Every structure is written in C-alpha cells, then in structure tokens.
Amino acid sequence: MDIHWFESLDSTQSHLIAQLKSGEISPPICVGASLQTMGRGSRGNEWIGEKGNLFISIAIKRSTLPKDLKLESTSIYLAFLMKEYLCSKGSKIWLKWPNDFYLDRKKIGGVITNLVDDIVIGGIGINLVSAPKNFEKLDIEITPYDLTKGYVELFANLPSWKQIFSNYQIEFENSREFFTHNNNEKIALKRVILCEDGSLECDGQRIFSLR
Ligand code: BTN
C-alpha cells in the first residue's frame, strides 16, 4: 500500500475522502500528516494533536478486507490491528469499546470510520509525543512514519474477523468498568452483552460500533 505523507493537512480523513470522491486517488492508499490542524474525532468532536503525533487515514476496498468482516465490525477491526501491532512493540495500549486507544485509564487515541461507495476509510490518531489535558501519550518510542509503515504492512496478510474477535472478546473485559455513549445516553459497559459482530446488546437494544 502506498503512503502519501504531508507536512501539514487540515485532516487526513477529509483530504482522503475528497481525493477519493474526485477520483484523484484510488484504494488501497494511506495518507499521513506530520501535523493536523482541523482533525475530526468521533461523535462530531474535533481531534487535537501536536506535531509528532500520529495522524493517518487508510482507504481500502471492502472486497479486499476479510470475507467474514462485517461493515459494522470494521472500526474495531482496524483499531485492534493497531493495538496488536503496538503491543508487539512492547506497549501496554488497550482498546476500550469500541475504538478508543487507552493507556491505563486515560485515552491516547482513537479511530473513526467513513464509507465512500464501497471504500472504507479508517482514520487513526494516537498521541505519540504529546497529549492534551486529560489525555495520555503512548508508552513506547516510535516515529509516526515508522508506525504507519509497520501498520500498512499488515494489510498484505490480514487476519480474519474471527481471529481478531477471539482476542477482542478477552480485551473487552477491560472496558467493563467504563461507559460508552449511545445517542445522548451514557451506558455502563458492565451491563451489556458483547455480540459476535462487536456490537453491544443492552436492554434489548443493539448499539453499533461503526462511527
Ligand atoms: C476519536 O475521537 O476518538 C477518533 C479520533 C480519530 C482522529 C484521526 S487523526 C487522523 C484522522 N484524520 C482525522 O481528521 N481524524 C482521524
């Protein structure tokens, strides 16, 4: 997968989506930036980070992802691949449901996912060198480019969803003492059931992770 690297972009996610829509680039492709000035976070929030942190977006055709991977599981899948890669490098990073990277009890990054026709666009931000107030940064030293290179190499031989989910199920127990938001409701993760596609069941209601 090619990597297009920029010194500065408003948002790797917005940039990649615009270029895919205009037909200037096609998947598979990864766009990274050393600095992001108008980063998009989950639930309409902004994503703030200084130079030296990780800001990347990856575009992949759905047909090239594992056959057993449902669209609603893609966000967790992309996040868990990153988590496993960083753990293999010695980090204690973990994934809070659905796609927030944590170190102990503090958030250090996250994933957003968009869909343009049959192309999945996953955007990943991780605090590598500095973190805003109330956030934490990664516990190992790695440059944004080296991390990006290592991560995109995984796409040459992707594990099935089944493989990822069997590890994610164990990881999910770490989320139990936390909460998640669904629409404007705060939901305690200790009282939910984790479904096979990574969604949650709570009081007969399904809560999906694609966001
Ligand atoms: C979250 O709020 O938890 C998700 C943050 C995702 C931020 C990344 S940084 C690279 C990519 N480009 C963006 O504008 N957002 C994502």
Side-chain angles (χ1 to χ4, degrees), residues 11-13 36 39-42 47 55-57 100 107 110-112 123-125:
S11 152
T12 57
Q13 197 78 355
Q36 196 173 242
R40 291 160 54 174
S42 54
W47 181 255
F55 309 105
I56 58 167
S57 294
D100 290 333
K107 179 160 167 165
V111 175
I112 49 169
I124 306 183

Side-chain angles (χ1 to χ4, degrees), residues 136-169:
E136 189 48 272
K137 66 180 172 75
L138 191 68
D139 53 346
I140 58 166
E141 271 183 38
I142 187 161
T143 66
Y145 193 77
D146 284 350
L147 176 51
T148 304
K149 223 166 146 275
Y151 183 67
V152 302
E153 273 170 15
L154 303 175
F155 287 77
N157 188 15
L158 288 171
S160 64
W161 166 250
K162 198 172 164 221
Q163 266 172 288
I164 289 285
F165 185 70
S166 70
N167 292 332
Y168 182 69
Q169 249 176 323

Side-chain angles (χ1 to χ4, degrees), residues 70-197:
K70 288 188 185 169
L71 189 58
E72 50 267 41
S73 319
T74 312
S75 226
I76 291 178
Y77 181 85
L78 296 176
F80 205 72
L81 274 184
M82 176 59 91
K83 175 236 128 91
E84 286 196 321
Y85 180 74
L86 285 168
C87 286
S88 78
K89 300 282 169 206
S91 173
K92 296 259 187 303
I93 188 173
W94 65 278
L95 192 63
K96 176 184 164 283
W97 193 90
N99 40 29
D100 290 333
F101 297 113
Y102 267 61
L103 205 62
D104 297 324
R105 302 183 59 82
K106 284 204 172 151
K107 179 160 167 165
I108 64 167
V111 175
I112 49 169
T113 315
N114 296 100
L115 196 63
V116 172
D117 302 326
D118 63 341
I119 305 165
V120 171
I121 300 113
I124 306 183
I126 301 180
N127 301 329
L128 300 183
V129 292
S130 65
K133 200 167 169 265
N134 299 325
F135 286 74
E136 189 48 272
K137 66 180 172 75
L138 191 68
D139 53 346
I140 58 166
E141 271 183 38
I142 187 161
T143 66
Y145 193 77
D146 284 350
L147 176 51
T148 304
K149 223 166 146 275
Y151 183 67
V152 302
E153 273 170 15
L154 303 175
F155 287 77
N157 188 15
L158 288 171
S160 64
W161 166 250
K162 198 172 164 221
Q163 266 172 288
I164 289 285
F165 185 70
S166 70
N167 292 332
Y168 182 69
Q169 249 176 323
I170 301 162
E171 177 92 342
F172 183 76
E173 293 308 309
N174 296 326
S175 289
R176 289 280 183 204
E177 57 179 297
F178 291 83
F179 293 81
T180 194
H181 290 94
N182 186 38
N183 302 321
N184 281 324
E185 205 187 335
K186 197 173 167 190
I187 293 168
L189 293 173
K190 63 172 177 252
R191 46 186 289 266
V192 304
I193 298 163
L194 177 66
C195 307
E196 291 274 313
D197 61 3

